[in-house]
Amino acid sequence: MSLYLGVEDFERLVVDELDRLPDDMVAGLDNVVFVVEDRPEDGSLDLLGLYDGWALTERDRYGVGELPDSIIVYREPHLAACGDMDELRDEVHTTLVHEIAHFYGIDDERLHELGWA
């Protein structure tokens, strides 16, 4: 049986976990919005989050007036992967760190080495 949490409660949990991240991790986020969606476009439950934008290391290609980059946290895959609220909080925290790391130009291989993937 998977965990259930409505959209508003899940969004509140994501905001709470964002507030718990170290200031120096979030202070450098420039022109980035956080979005909660139910599932990825393909409808799968395999993807927990997505960074959609230009990494800080590639921002030389970034122009004035660009739409904000986005970090998407997918609600249903998180709920399907977690058995209780503590596990859900931990997984949302890990997803946020993982996607924020992509903003800073850290790839999946390095995140695996660091234990964040």
Side-chain angles (χ1 to χ4, degrees):
M1 171 125 184
S2 62
L3 189 62
Y4 178 78
L5 199 63
V7 174
E8 288 180 13
D9 290 333
F10 186 82
E11 287 174 349
R12 199 168 11 260
L13 185 144
V14 170
V15 169
D16 289 347
E17 288 307 313
L18 269 171
D19 288 345
R20 287 183 174 90
L21 294 174
D23 289 341
D24 58 347
M25 181 182 289
V26 294
L29 296 175
D30 180 39
N31 206 29
V32 177
V33 295
F34 289 84
V35 180
V36 169
E37 292 183 4
D38 281 337
R39 287 184 183 212
E41 286 183 21
D42 68 2
S44 75
L45 294 175
D46 299 330
L47 188 63
L48 298 175
L50 178 70
Y51 173 67
D52 184 19
W54 292 101
L56 195 58
T57 54
E58 299 174 358
R59 288 278 172 121
D60 60 320
R61 302 181 213 157
Y62 197 73
V64 175
E66 293 283 338
L67 289 175
D69 295 353
S70 52
I71 291 176
I72 305 167
V73 179
Y74 296 111
R75 183 178 68 93
E76 291 177 9
H78 275 90
L79 296 176
C82 299
D84 60 38
M85 287 301 292
D86 289 336
E87 192 178 346
L88 180 61
R89 278 185 177 70
D90 288 345
E91 195 60 57
V92 167
H93 182 91
T94 299
T95 299
L96 289 169
V97 170
H98 181 107
E99 302 310 331
I100 289 169
H102 286 319
F103 167 83
Y104 287 112
I106 301 171
D107 64 16
D108 281 333
E109 182 178 330
R110 181 68 179 132
L111 285 168
H112 278 285
E113 292 170 9
L114 297 170
W116 289 104

